[in-house]
Amino acid sequence: MADQGASKRRIILHIDMNAFYCSVHAAEEPEIYKGKPTAVAGSVELRKGIVVTSSYEARAMGVRTGITVRQALTVCPELILISPNFDLYRKYSRGFLRIAGNYTPLVEAVSIDECFLDITGSSQFGSPVEIAETIARRVKEELSLPCSIGIAPNKLLAKMASDMRKPNAITILRRREMPELLWGKPCQTLYGIGSKTADKLLRLNIRTIGELAAADEKVLTERFGVYGAWMKQAANGIDDAPVVPLHDAPKSIGHTTTLPADLTEREQYRRVLLNLADQTTRRLRHQRMVGTTVQITIRDPDMRTITRSSTLAIPTDTIEDVYRIACGLMDDHWKEGNPVRLLGITLQGLSPKEDTPLQLDLFSYEEKPRKDKLVSALDSLRDKYGEDAILTAGMLGDDPSTLIRNKKIRGTSLQKDFLREKSADGENDY
């Protein structure tokens, strides 16, 4: 086990942007959305679409993530429905990450709306509470967004602390406070334990976090493997995981999408894989890198996760190669009809493109430079006009091999198109 003394000396913040998507729209157009019951929905036009998130005003009236638009309008007839705008969300996400980075270089973005900060060495900016208050104030003043911040000696407790009070709150959680504040709560309250795992713990007569903290580790590992040992440590407030910032030269680049509605059909998850391949290879090209290994991550509703990978003979940065490999891995390792809750694509074995010899065959050596120039031009268009400037035809339901310009669906991002068609939402991991 890692040095617990070192863990205790750390000071970790977890920043959680409150009702992020709805808050972004309220910040962007306050005269329309601020202080009103709003919901971002995967398909505003279809009443069977899914609510992705809702404002606190809407939540007070019973609007919850995952219910259908029809259900949301039943409990809240005055609900204002908003189509997703992922370009806008990424813009505001970069904004709060920029503010966080002013107080420590150790910033780990874990999703589009939350991050961890290790401020152990940031005392020049004040006490932990003062730093948290300064960040929250700047996020409010510069971005007009609310956030909750947890302060703790490790990432697990910082995450739990930020969840304890919302919105616009700063909460401190120490390990010694676990018995009083958390041990009496159900196991599912512990970050990282879902309802299925909680049900399995219940069958072992483990109902609360306190009972989990006192449970026999051998029994837990026999039933859950290494996850059982982790759960016992977590219930005791122990977490030595470091805050891992992004570096200029990453060892891997990836995107992960969590879906509120399970996908079971091949065409459904292929649409998601196409989206992920596009976003991942686009970031790869921005880094001027190529990759040799494509890895997919699949998680089911019971939180069981598998990863499968395949290595290419020739490094690549193209959506076609990554999409083809990802689909092949999915077909080989996942039976159609089994529900999928999360999908991810990660490119590994990265190297600078200019330093990597690319072997071309007799039939592609003339075509490759022209294709690279086209892809570069399309990337430039999307940099200038946004992600919705260029869509693959596959994202519109046709052949994914052709890129098209689509001016008629202004405001329809790659993710938004998928949401409209399939009533599901995903969140990038960056």
Side-chain angles (χ1 to χ4, degrees):
M1 185 181 296
D3 181 5
Q4 292 183 22
S7 177
K8 289 179 181 178
R9 289 194 296 271
R10 291 192 300 159
I11 306 169
I12 309 298
L13 304 187
H14 179 261
I15 303 177
D16 188 358
M17 307 304 294
N18 303 143
F20 182 58
Y21 294 172
C22 289
S23 296
V24 165
H25 289 287
E28 193 76 5
E29 299 180 273
E31 69 282 0
I32 301 176
Y33 301 120
K34 187 175 181 180
K36 298 178 182 178
T38 63
V40 172
S43 179
V44 172
E45 297 85 356
L46 301 175
R47 291 171 66 85
K48 65 181 181 180
I50 300 296
V51 170
V52 175
T53 191
S54 56
S55 66
Y56 283 93
E57 292 81 5
R59 295 178 193 186
M61 303 184 74
V63 179
R64 296 286 181 267
T65 298
I67 68 174
T68 66
V69 169
R70 184 186 299 275
Q71 292 170 324
L73 290 172
T74 299
V75 299
C76 182
E78 62 270 40
L79 183 68
I80 302 173
L81 295 168
I82 310 170
S83 293
N85 185 335
F86 284 86
D87 287 338
L88 191 61
Y89 307 150
R90 281 190 287 268
K91 169 188 168 185
Y92 277 83
S93 180
R94 288 191 295 268
F96 86 80
L97 289 173
R98 172 185 54 79
I99 293 172
N102 290 161
Y103 301 92
T104 174
L106 300 177
V107 178
E108 179 182 350
V110 291
S111 73
I112 198 170
D113 63 347
E114 59 180 317
C115 68
F116 289 104
L117 285 71
D118 188 330
I119 60 166
T120 306
S122 301
S123 58
Q124 68 269 30
F125 298 108
S127 69
V129 172
E130 289 171 337
I131 293 173
E133 288 174 343
T134 301
I135 291 173
R137 186 185 71 250
R138 287 189 58 187
V139 169
K140 188 69 174 177
E141 292 176 353
E142 297 175 26
L143 302 176
S144 298
L145 294 179
C147 68
S148 293
I149 301 179
I151 306 173
N154 58 51
K155 292 166 69 174
L156 170 72
L157 295 184
K159 168 67 176 175
M160 303 256 329
S162 69
D163 285 339
M164 290 173 73
R165 293 192 299 145
K166 293 183 178 182
N168 289 313
I170 295 173
T171 305
I172 301 173
L173 181 59
R174 305 171 180 87
R175 274 196 63 198
R176 65 175 180 269
E177 296 172 325
M178 286 280 291
E180 178 186 355
L181 298 179
L182 295 175
W183 275 7
K185 295 183 179 296
C187 289
Q188 193 174 343
T189 309
L190 187 65
Y191 177 61
I193 295 182
S195 58
K196 299 292 186 182
T197 301
D199 289 341
K200 294 174 183 176
L201 288 170
L202 189 59
R203 290 196 285 272
L204 296 175
N205 292 319
I206 299 174
R207 297 172 176 80
T208 66
I209 296 176
E211 291 172 344
L212 179 58
D216 187 330
E217 185 172 330
K218 183 179 179 182
V219 172
L220 293 173
T221 54
E222 287 176 351
R223 181 67 180 84
F224 299 98
V226 294
Y227 181 48
W230 175 87
M231 286 192 291
K232 180 176 174 66
Q233 283 201 333
N236 282 284
I238 299 172
D239 175 28
D240 298 315
V243 172
V244 182
L246 293 177
H247 298 287
D248 292 336
K251 295 180 180 179
S252 65
I253 287 177
H255 274 275
T256 302
T257 296
T258 303
L259 302 151
D262 299 337
L263 302 185
T264 57
E265 298 177 11
R266 188 168 181 261
E267 284 305 311
Q268 289 179 322
Y269 52 67
R270 281 204 162 197
R271 186 72 63 88
V272 181
L273 290 174
L274 182 60
N275 184 356
L276 292 170
D278 174 73
Q279 293 296 313
T280 305
T281 54
R282 185 155 145 70
R283 285 186 55 222
L284 191 69
R285 292 190 295 271
H286 270 288
Q287 295 274 358
R288 294 182 173 85
M289 309 281 277
V290 290
T292 56
T293 299
V294 178
Q295 175 183 285
I296 65 168
T297 301
I298 312 168
R299 181 177 298 163
D300 69 12
D302 292 331
M303 303 301 288
R304 288 188 293 263
T305 305
I306 67 168
T307 59
R308 297 293 183 269
S309 62
S310 179
T311 299
L312 295 85
I314 302 173
T316 187
D317 62 0
T318 70
I319 180 177
E320 293 91 347
D321 289 338
V322 174
Y323 176 64
R324 171 176 52 81
I325 295 298
C327 287
L329 289 168
M330 191 80 181
D331 290 344
D332 290 342
H333 299 286
W334 198 260
K335 183 179 179 182
E336 185 174 9
N338 289 346
V340 177
R341 174 55 55 92
L342 173 148
L343 281 173
I345 289 180
T346 301
L347 301 182
Q348 300 170 331
L350 306 188
S351 59
K353 187 171 184 177
E354 61 184 16
D355 297 337
T356 305
L358 300 180
Q359 187 177 11
L360 302 179
D361 61 37
L362 180 64
F363 303 100
S364 65
Y365 78 96
E366 290 184 338
E367 177 187 351
K368 186 69 165 62
R370 290 197 297 267
K371 188 173 182 180
D372 285 347
K373 188 176 294 187
L374 173 62
V375 171
S376 178
L378 296 177
D379 282 343
S380 296
L381 282 173
R382 292 169 76 176
D383 289 341
K384 185 173 182 179
Y385 296 108
E387 295 298 319
D388 54 339
I390 304 292
L391 298 176
T392 68
M395 292 169 190
L396 298 175
D398 300 316
D399 181 2
S401 63
T402 304
L403 290 170
I404 64 170
R405 179 80 164 109
N406 194 320
K407 296 181 179 179
K408 294 183 179 179
I409 51 173
R410 177 69 176 167
T412 303
S413 69
L414 304 177
Q415 291 94 335
K416 190 185 299 181
D417 175 69
F418 171 72
L419 289 172
R420 179 185 297 111
E421 294 292 324
K422 301 299 179 184
S423 298
D425 170 62
E427 292 179 0
N428 295 326
D429 57 345
Y430 297 110

